[in-house]
Amino acid sequence: MTPPLLRLEGVSVAFDAPAAEEVDYSLAAGEVLAVVGESGSGKTVTALSLLGLLPGAATVTGRALFAGRDLFALSAEELRAVRGNGIGMVFQEPMTALNPVFRVGDQLAEVVRAHGGRTAAQARRRVDELLALVGLPPGARRKYPHELSGGQLQRVVIAMAVANDPALLIADEPTTALDVTVQAEVLELLRDLRGRLDAAILLITHDMGVVADLADRVVVMRDGRVVEQGPVAEVFAAPRHEYTRSLLDSVISLSGPPPAEPPAAVEVSPGVVARGAHVAVTSPSLSAPDRPGDDPVLALSGLTVAYGRFRAVDGVGLHVGRGEVLGLVGESGSGKSSIAGAVTGLVTPAAGVVELAGQELSRLRGRAAKRARGRVGVVFQDPASSLNPRATVARSIASPFLLHTPLRGAELDRRVDGLLDAVRLSPSLRDRYPHELSGGQRQRVGIARAIALDPDLLIADEPTSALDVSVQARVLDLFRALQAELRFACLFISHDLAVVERLADRVAVLHGGRVVETGPADEVLTAPLHPYTRRLLAAAPVADPVRQRERREAWLALDGPG
Amino acid sequence: MLRRDRWALAGAVTIAVLGLAAVAADLLTAIEGQDPYSYRTEALDPGTGGPAGVLGGVSGDHWFGVEPLTGRDLFAIVVHGARTSFLIGLAATLVSVVFGTLVGAAAGYLGGWPDRIVTWAADVFLGFPYLIFMIALGAVVPSHVSRPLLLILVIGFFGWPSIARIVRAQVLTLKERNFVAAARILGASPWQVFRAELLPNLWAPIIVVATLSVPGKIGLEAALSFLGVGIPPPTPSWGRTISTAVDWVSTEPMFLFFPGVALFLATWAFTVFGDGLRDALDPKTDVRR
Amino acid sequence: NDPGNTGASSAAEAAQGGTLRILSEGQTVNYDPAKSSSLPITSLGFVHRRLTGWVNAEGEQAAVAPDLGDTGKASDGGKTWTFTLKEGLKFGDGSPIRSHDVKWGVERTFAPAFSGGLGYHKQLLVGGGDYRGPFEGERLASIETPDDRTIVFRLTRPYGDWPWITSTPAFAPVPEGKGAEPDYGEHPVASGPYQLAEYQRGVRARLVRNPHWDRASDQIRGGLPDEVQFQLGQEASVVSQRLVADSGEDRQAFGSSFASPAQLAQLQGNASAKQRLVTSKTGALAYLALNTEKLTDPKVRQAFQYAVDKTSYQIASAGAAQLAGDTATTLITQGIAGREQFDLYPAQPAGEPEKAKRLLAEAGFPDGLKDLDFVVPKSNDYPAKAQALQAALAKAGIAVNIRVLDTDAYTAETSQAANPTYDLTLSSWQPDFPSANANIQPLFASSEIGGGGYNLSRYRNPEVDALIEAAQSEVDPVAANRRWVELDKKILADSPVVPLIYTRNSFLRGSEVANFYIADFPAYPNYLQAGIAK
Amino acid sequence: MRALRFTANRIASTLLVLLVVVFITYVVFYLVPSDPAQLACGRPCTEQNLALAREFMGLDDPWWRQFLDYLGGVVTGRTFGVGATSIHCAAPCFGYSFQQNTDVAVLIAERLPVTFSLAVGAAVLWLVAGVGAGVLAALRRGTAWDRITLAGSVAGVSAPVYLVGLLGILVLGFTLDVVPVGGYVPFTESPVDWAWHLVLPWLVLAFAHAAVYLRLTRAQMLEVLGEDYIRTARANGLRESSVIGRHALRNVLLPVVTVFGIDLGSLLGGAVITERVFSLPGLGGLLIDAVNQRDLPLLLGCTLFAAFLVVLANAVVDLCYGALDPRARLT
Ligand SMILES: Nc1ncnc2c1ncn2[C@@H]1O[C@H](COP(=O)(O)OP(=O)(O)OP(=O)(O)O)[C@@H](O)[C@H]1O
Ligand SMILES: Nc1ncnc2c1ncn2[C@@H]1O[C@H](COP(=O)(O)OP(=O)(O)OP(=O)(O)O)[C@@H](O)[C@H]1O
Ligand SMILES: [Mg+2]
Ligand SMILES: [Mg+2]
């Protein structure tokens, strides 16, 4: 066996407290090594330490041998020569990773010319090559970062990282910020690059599906230490460490096999096909019709939300019955949050009607409007930003009471304690501030606030997508239990199909501001009628190397990469 | 946190000392046995009207020497001047902070035409040669309106655009945060949102900006007194004393030195204190430390 | 009393030639005679001659002197005055100066577009009240020009000081028919030794020789330098620093503003500069005006005569008594013919607060006076001087609040408002011509209350008004002077003002400026005689 | 189309700003208890003369009428008085100063080159010095250099311009005698003398302003250095000079440009005190004279012009901002 390309020997990183301790792992040329582990386990700091990118306050010990040289012992100039040349790096947030004031092509060219004396013309040719390599049109060269989508930006960042044919590519959560479909494309690109450039990849992620999809070997970290490492198939099949096991257990994956050919359906009206309660559109300019039953809690009809000329939501009809959970899925920008905004009153619809328990919201004024508002609870995606950082837990939970009821003092405290109990939080947390809580705890506070007034309707806008896998599982369990107990109607918004599958009774699939398909959850997610739904389903990775391979091939067959 | 920043601490201590001197001005001058109003022509050089003796007449009787032409005690003038400067600096800051915060928050939060009007009004104010305005106002306002009050209001009022801009920007980002949306969804009125959700999060930037704007206001009072529209004599004011002292600098440098150093110290102290406060309150800078 | 340095310190002899530089704080110089209130011995005199001028020399009493014309002959009991112009006078463009041109110049001052200068003549000339200038075709019949060299003025009443009035700028000649344009002052037709060659507002004005000026016909102007340059818009303290430094061109320069107390103090430590300081022997009367409409009791007003501290006032104005000027006890200023020295309220110069308190108690104010409104303008160190008085009055139990106003607001409040609220104000008065008339009438005639007049104590006494009228009509100077001195005493007995000092003015010159002196009246250097030393 | 509407909006709001500024100035000074006619009336001033002067200057109309006359003059020009002595002020007439016997526009035009030279020269100085020192301070955060520049900047903020100016004159001008102490030489007369006479004013003005820029740059630099794209640039092996000098600086300049626009705009309206101290015949002096003499037309003209410069500077800043930051470009 050849010596490994990269080898970490007892690498420790410490700020005030240690962040990574005695980390050992190695990586051979052409290999993909995934580093997984819960948030804060030291994955990123370890990787940053390799290129000397940690802030000055960090102390690094140990050795990191890259092609036989200890990276920690290099001079500043030598290190610069390695950066972007021997080792390329891709960061998590593509939106902020590029300088907003320079053209993408110029930034690429600058990196190209930073190593090895290429002329301007040569660099330009290389930029075109790179853009082609990551599947971007040559015209992208002249764009500014804000003119590109997240997926395109991530491609640029990857192009930048591979610009000088590095032997090693470090990718720190390269897809976390992206849509499932875009994520699948980016992963495909990485796989392709590895094949074509023969680069080794150090992939940092917390998404087991991504690991299953891409990696040869996996390193599991926890609390700054490596707890387990080995080939992916082995670790996934027979995790040895207890933490690895719980990690894999809490992964929520779609249950069904990759979508097969669409089942037969009958055309019920021009452009609309149906199979029982399962309805889909075949014409791109239609929204699937909605048949609200008796007494829905929420009924939308012909809802249109426009930002200037742009129609983010276009003639959508939807309803949520009593005690029912409607899952609203669709990729980023499809209009999910805009619908939620129209229901909660944060955005004013351009057209259409929003009826809450039979009352038309836009007609209500003053007290009546306020009362109607009190019957809707909302849980947001990002627990950190949904709580006022300067308000205690108790204050946040009490705010609905303060606004809508005359409750004060001890009675109020009692109610708050009751709610804390309902979301399984200890009353001792009452006086903490949000930053003193974990992500899961914060989200529970958010849920407690949302259910405080015993709402008829709960709107959950991506309530778990910012959370760790293990935390996410626990919050979803809680959510399900509460729903079963309190029987509120729920509009559950998510781009994660697996999550929706676990919670929703019915599903509506949103694409370009229109509902393209709607029906009972199990039917829509196993036998989708609309091609977009099928693509969405196929793109979602599952945390099983074998099944994931099947799904990937199905996805590739559906629309091909890029 | 501030305790780790020795410079900010030094600033805070200086502010405290000067503030204390301002509050206890009467006591201090009583100990010295002087007051800032009495003429002491016997302490002057009869040939020139300048202070008799070396260093501008510094002595056990007159700790900082005396003022030329009048013989008034310079120490008394400086500590009583501190009172004027601090009163005007702080009170005017309060005025601009209150007004700027309300207006800026309203603009940022409500958006639409209130926002446009506020940004536009800020433009008007910035386009306005306000020094001129203050001079005119000094002449227009009837004399029974207290000048310090007028100064506080005018200096304070002209300070609102900068505060409003900062608050507006801050509110714009806060508005995007979900906790504000959560409150709105619950049916909170704009005022309730402002009080319960926005204001607690605005304190930090407001306090920092306020601290940093105090020295500017003190300086402005000095400049206005220089132009003769500040605090009316004989109430001591650093600005007026400094502007008089500039003429004397080649013969009586100490006359400029003491009030000059006091003004510099006050400005310096508020600035480093404000900077330290900003660093302490900004989580980002704290991590990088 | 030693009046400090005087013109005698101009050691070197002034010679013909060179460039004289005048450093001025003002942004403009005004060479339009109709809009000027310039003294006959300062800047306007370089370019324009007037019907009469002043004898202005060290050690000589100020007197009317012939300029374009003689000093005039009265007839009709002082109501008609006849002047004869000298022969061979020429304007800068070579044309002769005739009596019409003087008449035209006077008439021009009546045009609304050209007001702003000294206008004593406007009410005195018959028909002047509603005359609106010659540009609309109407002429003023009360000025007659029987031939090219004779000019006759008909007055509404006998006026003995008329020859002084004809020395005001309005009596400078303007070629008949010219001067309709608003900027005539930027290209005036010269009658004096110089003409305006270049004028940039805020920067400089350059005067070069007028080839048609005849030295022999002019006893008022030296006309020594080849060129005179005004440097405009100069910052006062920088001017003083430059003059102290006395290097390069600044050696041929002098400052046109008074040296401030701080500058004076600096000069005391600099032997060379101290030598170049020119201080007047006397000057304007500085006084504290008591608003007689508010302080109605003469006894209360008299208390102020004892309460003020003239010593600290002297220090506040110039650092030392000697530079500030003598303490004043009369209304007629030193250097005016016929003045008599007296003191109705003899007291220590530093004041006698006890005596003041006693007078107040007698008047019914045993606890003194509270909250008097003391209004002063921002300019000329008045706030500092007012503070000196404030501190002194406080000792006599008189508490005053100083109110500092911008110069213009001050004028509006004190001389224009119908019912002003001030109790006290501080002012100084330099007569426009060296006659006791110009000392007393503007300050104490009831016609001068409000409407822009300078009767700041709002003193209204019909008896005094009648006496003023009588004194003005007196054509015999000696008799007139006797009447004025009588008035001086009579008014002061009522105590509408407290005379403080006869303010000395100090000016600094460069080492090569020669023949730079200040005569007894007025307290300004004679620009016209100064020259550059060899 | 959108650009057109944007421009139209911008011009309209600019005009409105100017109108409001002029109106406020007018009202305030109209309320000031003083009478410009009094100055034009001379001594002694009789009621009759005063009335004549008022009429001639158009002061006998009601206040709103006078204001409208002023605005009308901007469009159509004005004539004061009648007959041979009437004064005509051609459109656009920004007022006629009776005290100075000149069109306000002419007065402003005379003074503009001086103020322009002063402001632009000082601005270049303080930009270079302030931004440069600010960058260094940020890069050496917490070191002696950082503290010293901070203290220096505080001195710049706290020392009044008149103080620094007069001390500068005293030390550099008189004691050391290295630079001239004032006066203005037009650029067209002698560029060298022009610069030489302005060195001291430039330094003084720059000293007062550089402090703000130093602090702003320092704070912004610290902010930008924490941005992800800086990390990206470093991770890709760019030279530190390029990371700081190109990637960071460009972003640092954005807020600096905004403040700069406002500062320069208001400076062009006159650096009142600096001009006074150095005897520079600029707009600031004109404005102060206008106030002191209650020369309302001149005051209105100056205020209008000063406000116009600020608004103009803002517009220029917006353009620059667009050039610097593609996100801010319109359409
Ligand atoms: N600049 C810093 N200063 C102090 N502590 C830091 C700093 N950066 C990271 N840490 C700490 O180091 C530890 C490891 O952080 P790291 O970013 O490597 O976690 P991670 O495994 O990448 O987590 P995630 O999945 O959330 O990205 C954490 O406890 C974190 O709080
Ligand atoms: N305030 C706004 N102004 C202009 N366009 C907006 C605004 N808010 C949203 N949009 C646009 O409307 C579209 C729908 O946005 P929306 O937030 O509803 O999407 P989403 O489905 O919730 O996406 P995500 O999964 O990213 O949250 C997007 O294209 C978005 O860019
Ligand atoms: Mg990480
Ligand atoms: Mg969304």
Side-chain angles (χ1 to χ4, degrees), chain B residues 15-42:
Chain B
I15 293 173
V17 168
L18 287 173
L20 215 65
V23 172
D26 288 323
L27 184 71
L28 287 173
T29 41
I31 294 173
E32 192 201 16
Q34 302 291 345
D35 69 83
Y37 305 108
S38 300
Y39 275 53
R40 301 248 182 270
T41 37
E42 67 276 11

Side-chain angles (χ1 to χ4, degrees), chain A residues 15-20 37-46 54-55 57 92 172-173 204-206 221 468, chain B residues 287-288:
Chain A
F15 294 95
D16 287 341
E38 68 182 2
S39 192
S41 57
K43 307 184 293 288
T44 299
V45 292
T46 313
L54 287 172
Q92 171 172 2
D172 188 358
E173 317 221 12
I204 300 172
T205 182
H206 61 250
M221 286 186 71
D468 247 85
Chain B
V287 170
R288 257 187 251 124

Side-chain angles (χ1 to χ4, degrees), chain A residues 55 57 344 346 370 373-374 376 378 380-382 384-390 395 399-400 403-404 449 453, chain B residues 176-189 192 195-198 200-201 204 281 287-289:
Chain A
T344 54
L346 287 180
K370 199 173 168 189
R373 288 271 173 78
V376 182
V378 180
F380 291 96
Q381 165 175 17
D382 181 2
S385 91
S386 64
L387 297 179
N388 186 341
R390 308 274 161 172
R395 172 72 181 68
S399 61
L403 279 168
H404 288 278
R449 180 177 59 187
L453 296 176
Chain B
E176 295 306 312
R177 308 267 290 275
N178 288 327
F179 68 88
V180 176
R184 284 170 68 194
I185 290 168
L186 278 170
S189 68
Q192 282 166 328
R195 253 213 41 226
E197 313 294 338
L198 297 179
N201 289 290
L281 290 176
V287 170
R288 257 187 251 124
R289 186 171 295 236

Side-chain angles (χ1 to χ4, degrees), chain D residues 220-267:
Chain D
Q220 186 64 14
M221 192 73 187
L222 288 176
E223 185 86 30
V224 167
L225 284 180
E227 296 286 349
D228 285 353
Y229 51 80
I230 295 300
R231 194 176 60 176
T232 308
R234 290 212 172 108
N236 282 313
L238 299 191
R239 282 195 171 71
E240 202 56 22
S241 56
S242 163
V243 172
I244 303 296
R246 230 172 87 81
H247 286 258
L249 198 60
R250 179 86 170 256
N251 286 281
V252 164
L253 285 182
L254 292 175
V256 172
V257 163
T258 310
V259 179
F260 182 69
I262 295 170
D263 274 0
L264 193 62
S266 54
L267 260 195

Side-chain angles (χ1 to χ4, degrees), chain A residues 145-190:
Chain A
H146 72 280
E147 296 168 333
L148 296 176
S149 74
Q152 289 174 319
L153 283 176
Q154 193 60 298
R155 284 164 193 268
V156 174
V157 174
I158 292 172
M160 208 177 252
V162 301
N164 293 298
D165 295 324
L168 171 63
L169 192 62
I170 301 177
D172 188 358
E173 317 221 12
T175 59
T176 318
L178 306 175
D179 254 294
V180 255
T181 45
V182 183
Q183 165 174 339
E185 283 168 21
V186 170
L187 291 177
E188 192 52 35
L189 171 66
L190 283 178

